[in-house]
Amino acid sequence: MTNEISLLSTGEDPMSVPEAPRSSQKLSPGAWLKVNLFNSVTNSIITVVVGLIAAYVTWQAVAWVISKDFTIIRDTLRIFMIGQFPDDELWRLWVSGAILVIAIGLAAGALARNSYELAESQGLEPESSSVLDLVRRFWAIIAILLLFASFARTAQPKIGIVAVIILVFVVRQLAWSAPVAIRSRAVYISALLVVGSTLVVAGTSRLGGACVGIVVFAWALNESGRRDVAAMRGGRFVSWLLPLVVAAIVAAIVAAIGFDGYGWDDWGGIHVNLFTAVVGITLGMPFGILLALGRQSKLPVVRTASVLYIEFVRGVPLISLLLFSKLLLPLFLPIDMERPAALTLAIVVIMGFSAAYVAEIVRGGLQAVPKGQTEAAQALGLSPGAMQRMIVLPQALRAVIPAMVGQFIALFKDTTLLTTVAVLEFLDAATIANNQPQFLGKGLAPVTYLFVAVGFWAFSFTMSKESRRLEQRLGVGTR
Amino acid sequence: MTRKVTITGWQRAAGVVAILALAASACSGDDDSTATDSTTAPDSTTAPEGTTADTVEVTQGGGVLAAVQSRDVVNCGGNNGLAGFGSVDAATGEAAGFDIDFCRALAAAVLGDATKVDIKPLEAAERFPTLQSGEIDVLIRNTTWTASRDGGEQATFLHTNFYDGQGFMVAADSGIASLEDMANATICVQTGTTTLTNLNAVFADQGIPFTPLEFASNDELNPAFQAGQCEVWTSDASQLASFAAGMDLETTILPNIISKEPLGPAVADGDSQWAQIVDWTTMATIQAWEWGITSENVDTFLTSEDSSILTFLGQPVKDADGNEAVKDLGLGLDADAFYRVIKQVGNYEEIFERNLTPIGLTLAGSPNDLWTNGGLMYNPPFR
């Protein structure tokens, strides 16, 4: 792309453009310095001055960090990690975390192997993804988890964190070498595991069963497509009905088991930020895509409703939506009705908020898909649904990955606003830490804020790194 | 053929939409049903007889007492970010503090178990809307009793449990000893509170020029004050004292108090029975202190000679005819409600020393001392 632009912009005299030092990696360090930093008197002076300032600032920052006593983090680590979650229910978080990690490992391993084989079968160069590559990709998160564990006073959290990190790699390797039958169904299995890990904490109920049922339904639908049930006699009907029956039975069984959970009133710490962000993003995305499609719909009702929703939500700050949900909604509920937990409302708001933003991002992507693509799809006789699913959306979504990830990172950081509806999130934990009697008046707020900043940075940095990797793999901007 | 395909395609799309909507609403609303299930289940199993009256009363009159009893937990609006008053114990993750203990006292009085509380942490702006919506039964969150709040916010304030006031703190070597000395000084103050309003009003009245330096919270203000970015720090005197206790810097808190900040519990207007219960439970801790009854020695008072102490503790008292009977105070509480409060939570002095002494506040000689010691803690008699 860059080549094309430079050729186009320079017109008939490409030689007049000096060659950018793009081959800098090949120079020796000394030569590189000379070419890039000391190639003229002015540049040398600038380099020295800026270098001295940078060194001074770094020195001061490092000296400050070293001079500080991090006992406050050690003593209040529990608040930063899990908030007010009660001690005797802690096992739920560990079990839930382990199941979640197994789900992630399974999906990651199976999907990586699938795309590896696809690339191989098409004669492309498969992407290498050894354990070392993974560590390079996710070093920030691994490092931050180990940092968190290093502050723990007892051995249990340290062992737990290390075990969880090892577990994800082990499961991934197992999934990598699993038989095709399992690998091709890994997405559904891990989706079930994810729902299951939430149920360990929240307990099963009718709605918990419904969540399981939905995943089972999607899976069964996929299975019936695999067997090509639709081609059989009366198949169209069966291909829908059979999965529905299976899903309903499974949902009923799960709901009937009645495993008591802890609910999520007392969730807190970075755990709640990660949970809210992930749920907000995963549930907000399908809604956002639907809204974007709705906005382009030819049906006036659908289009107007979509536009109204998107413009209302985008026109209002997230903090005011959160306060609406907390302060105004209860006034509309019947007096003897149980009030929804603050976190429930917050998750619904965050989800709805991200949906509106995703919708506008996706709309940009939809408009970037050339009209010829739609016309060609119509010429092939594809139904509108199939056309969107197979032709338009894949191209539209690919084009908007950077914007989408930017939105997700913003949303993750926006979870700090949950403090306004009194959810004890990661940043709020800093206030509580500073208000412990033994730390009051010690002026340790900067220390706790530094800890919080590093925590947020690790996850946001990894997200943006992964998005760049995804862009490169999908060739955004180059094809 | 093409048409047929189109129709099924749309059906499929509609189906997917419906499923996604269902999935999202179902999954996101999940905890609700769990919460409701878990709270309603024990009711239906553990309260087979005698609860119908309660239920009827709830639906008819909306009495808070009946609602609390059928729920079997007191919902308190509290704070989780104010050391000593309402905070979270970082070691256990449990709510702790002076205000929290008054909520526990209420649970002990009404439900017989001080642990049956649900502390809902609130931001300052949420306090009164939450109280009005009925989400909390009582607001005990370092809230100043003012006329406009009693009137305009449809709240009923009850017996003050802490007398505070806005004060000034300076470095010990600053040479500032009075408000006049603060002319042209930089004063650190927290934004969004009445502190700044009071400061502006008082200094404008007295014609003293000053530069305010505003911070979102005292946690952020503290390092700035210690670094000398401002000469004076103004806040509630209790706050200043607790921050001063933790500081390496030598400081002086000036005797000038420029505002009255009586902090106490508040309930929603319209249920005087509930208001009386909260009021008398708060005062019971003060009365017990006056009599020297503590959580440790309360049992020795059960055989007291003093008939008012016996009435207070729910013990039978001889009337004029010599008949022994437990006197019903008519508050809607069990006879031994205050005994449980003292036994499980303690008297005012115990609550103060448990929560506020660790953050550097002193009880003796302060406005919060007992009236017999020259303080403001005084209550009507329990008879």
Side-chain angles (χ1 to χ4, degrees):
Chain A
M1 195 72 185
T2 36
N3 279 334
E4 279 166 32
I5 283 175
S6 63
L7 284 175
L8 286 173
S9 58
T10 49
E12 56 275 305
D13 193 11
M15 298 311 288
S16 69
V17 180
E19 181 66 28
R22 236 190 299 140
S23 52
S24 54
Q25 306 99 307
K26 286 167 197 155
L27 296 171
S28 74
W32 185 88
L33 281 177
K34 202 160 199 176
V35 169
N36 288 288
L37 298 175
F38 296 99
N39 55 353
S40 72
V41 178
T42 330
N43 279 0
S44 299
I45 292 169
I46 292 174
T47 301
V48 170
V49 171
V50 172
L52 282 175
I53 294 174
Y56 175 75
V57 170
T58 315
W59 169 251
Q60 287 291 317
V62 170
W64 181 82
V65 169
I66 291 171
S67 75
K68 286 295 166 189
D69 181 7
F70 284 85
T71 316
I72 184 167
I73 307 291
R74 263 179 240 288
D75 283 4
T76 57
L77 188 68
R78 126 188 271 289
I79 299 290
F80 281 103
M81 296 295 111
I82 52 164
Q84 291 186 265
F85 206 84
D87 278 339
D88 30 328
E89 300 280 347
L90 265 184
W91 64 271
R92 287 183 197 277
L93 291 186
W94 285 111
V95 172
S96 152
I99 298 176
L100 194 65
V101 155
I102 291 172
I104 293 170
L106 179 65
L111 293 179
R113 176 71 183 270
N114 288 353
S115 66
Y116 185 91
E117 287 193 348
L118 187 68
E120 222 172 24
S121 72
Q122 295 185 346
L124 298 165
E125 197 194 331
E127 194 201 24
S128 120
S129 56
S130 63
V131 171
L132 202 66
D133 288 317
L134 288 175
V135 171
R136 204 174 297 139
R137 271 165 60 190
F138 295 102
W139 69 266
I141 289 184
I142 296 173
I144 204 73
L145 290 178
L146 293 177
L147 178 77
F148 288 164
S150 75
F151 280 113
R153 282 215 181 279
T154 53
Q156 189 209 357
K158 297 187 197 224
I159 297 168
I161 292 282
V162 174
V164 157
I165 294 174
I166 293 172
L167 186 64
V168 73
F169 283 108
V170 169
V171 173
R172 187 186 175 279
Q173 287 315 110
L174 286 177
W176 175 274
S177 45
V180 180
I182 291 180
R183 273 192 282 127
S184 60
R185 293 170 175 88
V187 173
Y188 298 104
I189 301 174
S190 45
L192 272 184
L193 286 174
V194 169
V195 175
S197 84
T198 316
L199 294 188
V200 170
V201 185
T204 61
S205 62
R206 267 161 311 186
L207 288 168
C211 284
V212 176
I214 288 156
V215 178
V216 171
F217 177 64
W219 187 356
L221 205 60
N222 182 275
E223 291 290 332
S224 78
R226 212 182 271 259
R227 301 268 150 71
D228 213 2
V229 178
M232 299 191 299
R233 219 164 136 258
R236 271 232 148 73
F237 188 56
V238 177
S239 70
W240 271 93
L241 192 67
L242 205 61
L244 207 60
V245 171
V246 173
I249 291 172
V250 174
I253 292 172
V254 172
I257 292 170
F259 174 71
D260 260 352
Y262 181 68
W264 56 23
D265 273 10
D266 287 337
W267 287 28
I270 195 167
H271 175 224
V272 94
N273 295 66
L274 288 171
F275 181 80
T276 322
V278 169
V279 172
I281 289 163
T282 41
L283 294 183
M285 188 132 130
F287 269 126
I289 294 171
L290 285 179
L291 280 171
L293 293 174
R295 190 166 189 162
Q296 297 205 324
S297 165
K298 288 191 183 71
L299 304 170
V301 180
V302 177
R303 191 176 58 240
T304 318
S306 305
V307 170
L308 280 179
Y309 178 83
I310 293 171
E311 294 306 330
F312 171 72
V313 174
R314 275 165 51 92
V316 179
L318 177 56
I319 192 165
S320 64
L321 288 176
L322 285 169
L323 288 173
F324 276 157
S325 78
K326 182 79 189 294
L327 300 180
L328 292 185
L329 193 63
L331 298 178
F332 295 99
L333 295 177
I335 190 83
D336 49 354
M337 191 181 146
E338 184 79 17
R339 299 290 183 280
L343 189 56
T344 316
L345 293 173
I347 287 174
V348 172
V349 168
I350 294 250
M351 185 194 81
F353 186 79
S354 73
Y357 277 81
V358 166
E360 282 300 273
I361 292 170
V362 172
R363 183 171 70 102
L366 290 173
Q367 286 172 345
V369 176
K371 205 155 190 291
Q373 295 283 333
T374 334
E375 286 163 358
Q378 279 167 340
L380 285 173
L382 289 179
S383 70
M387 189 175 76
Q388 292 292 354
R389 207 171 56 241
M390 294 158 68
I391 309 289
V392 180
L393 276 180
Q395 299 186 62
L397 293 182
R398 197 193 62 154
V400 297
I401 291 169
M404 201 91 101
V405 174
Q407 171 60 27
F408 292 163
I409 291 175
L411 188 74
F412 174 51
K413 290 185 291 187
D414 278 351
T415 55
T416 49
L417 292 176
L418 293 190
T419 177
T420 56
V421 290
V423 172
L424 204 175
E425 49 73 48
F426 196 40
L427 183 62
D428 205 19
T431 313
I432 291 185
N434 282 301
N435 273 292
Q436 295 302 307
Q438 68 269 37
F439 300 117
L440 198 67
K442 301 275 187 224
L444 293 173
V447 175
T448 51
Y449 286 152
L450 177 73
F451 181 71
V452 170
V454 171
F456 273 109
W457 173 83
F459 290 97
S460 303
F461 173 72
T462 306
M463 263 198 267
S464 71
K465 231 167 71 132
E466 280 301 288
S467 98
R468 252 176 294 143
R469 185 178 147 269
L470 199 61
E471 282 163 40
Q472 274 165 8
R473 271 182 60 188
L474 297 175
V476 178
T478 54
R479 70 167 198 205
Chain B
M1 186 61 200
T2 326
R3 225 176 104 216
K4 205 174 166 191
V5 172
T6 316
I7 291 167
T8 44
W10 273 109
Q11 282 172 341
R12 197 173 262 262
V16 172
V17 173
I19 290 161
L20 281 173
L22 200 82
S25 59
C27 299
S28 59
D30 194 22
D31 80 303
D32 261 352
S33 80
T34 345
T36 334
D37 289 350
S38 58
T39 45
T40 50
D43 283 358
S44 54
T45 51
T46 57
E49 74 264 330
T51 45
T52 38
D54 284 350
T55 328
V56 171
E57 212 178 304
V58 174
T59 46
Q60 281 177 348
V64 180
L65 176 63
V68 168
Q69 282 169 340
S70 74
R71 197 193 308 129
D72 206 27
V73 65
V74 180
N75 289 334
C76 294
N79 198 342
N80 67 5
L82 185 61
F85 288 89
S87 188
V88 175
D89 183 344
T92 61
E94 279 178 22
F98 183 77
D99 285 342
I100 311 290
D101 274 353
F102 277 93
C103 179
R104 297 223 163 93
L106 192 59
V110 177
L111 302 171
D113 184 349
T115 61
K116 287 184 176 169
V117 291
D118 188 358
I119 309 290
K120 297 186 187 293
L122 302 173
E123 295 297 314
E126 301 179 292
R127 290 179 290 191
F128 294 105
T130 317
L131 190 63
Q132 287 154 18
S133 75
E135 193 181 334
I136 53 172
D137 303 317
V138 59
L139 173 73
I140 317 181
R141 187 201 176 280
N142 49 283
T143 305
T144 305
W145 182 1
T146 67
S148 63
R149 282 174 175 174
D150 233 6
E153 302 281 6
Q154 288 116 49
T156 301
F157 276 84
L158 304 160
H159 198 281
T160 300
N161 65 6
F162 191 89
Y163 291 96
D164 213 339
Q166 185 174 344
F168 297 88
M169 179 159 73
V170 294
D173 54 4
S174 68
I176 297 176
S178 67
L179 295 191
E180 288 72 34
D181 293 343
M182 292 180 201
N184 300 316
T186 305
I187 301 182
C188 278
V189 58
Q190 194 182 341
T191 51
T193 62
T194 50
T195 321
L196 182 59
T197 325
N198 292 339
L199 181 70
N200 283 325
V202 170
F203 276 55
D205 288 349
Q206 305 198 9
I208 305 171
F210 73 102
T211 317
L213 184 57
E214 299 172 29
F215 290 86
S217 79
N218 280 335
D219 292 330
E220 286 138 34
L221 191 158
N222 179 26
F225 176 73
Q226 293 199 52
Q229 288 183 35
C230 51
E231 288 98 338
V232 186
W233 178 353
T234 180
S235 185
D236 287 346
S238 64
Q239 290 278 292
L240 295 178
S242 60
F243 275 95
M247 254 186 236
D248 297 330
L249 189 72
E250 280 293 308
T251 56
T252 310
I253 296 174
L254 303 183
N256 308 59
I257 298 290
I258 61 165
S259 76
K260 288 190 285 189
E261 310 284 346
L263 313 178
V267 298
D269 277 348
D271 189 339
S272 53
Q273 184 196 28
W274 179 245
Q276 284 163 2
I277 288 173
V278 177
D279 211 6
W280 285 92
T281 305
T282 310
M283 293 191 290
T285 63
I286 300 167
Q287 183 62 64
W289 179 25
E290 189 180 330
W291 278 328
I293 308 175
T294 67
S295 56
E296 257 130 55
N297 68 14
V298 61
D299 287 319
T300 65
F301 281 87
L302 293 176
T303 52
S304 168
E305 299 293 312
D306 189 334
S307 65
S308 39
I309 291 183
L310 291 176
T311 305
F312 179 77
L313 295 175
Q315 294 304 309
V317 192
K318 280 202 177 73
D319 61 14
D321 306 328
N323 300 325
E324 284 220 332
V326 175
K327 190 172 179 187
D328 182 10
L329 297 170
L331 292 169
L333 291 171
D334 298 338
D336 64 342
F338 300 134
Y339 166 78
R340 295 187 304 234
V341 169
I342 307 307
K343 182 79 182 166
Q344 295 180 22
V345 185
N347 69 28
Y348 185 92
E349 190 181 25
E350 287 179 285
I351 296 173
F352 192 102
E353 283 175 352
R354 187 185 312 140
N355 297 294
L356 300 182
T357 307
I359 64 163
L361 302 187
T362 44
L363 183 54
S366 77
N368 297 300
D369 208 344
L370 212 51
W371 62 283
T372 49
N373 302 334
L376 293 173
M377 284 300 165
Y378 176 92
N379 62 268
F382 278 73
R383 60 168 188 254

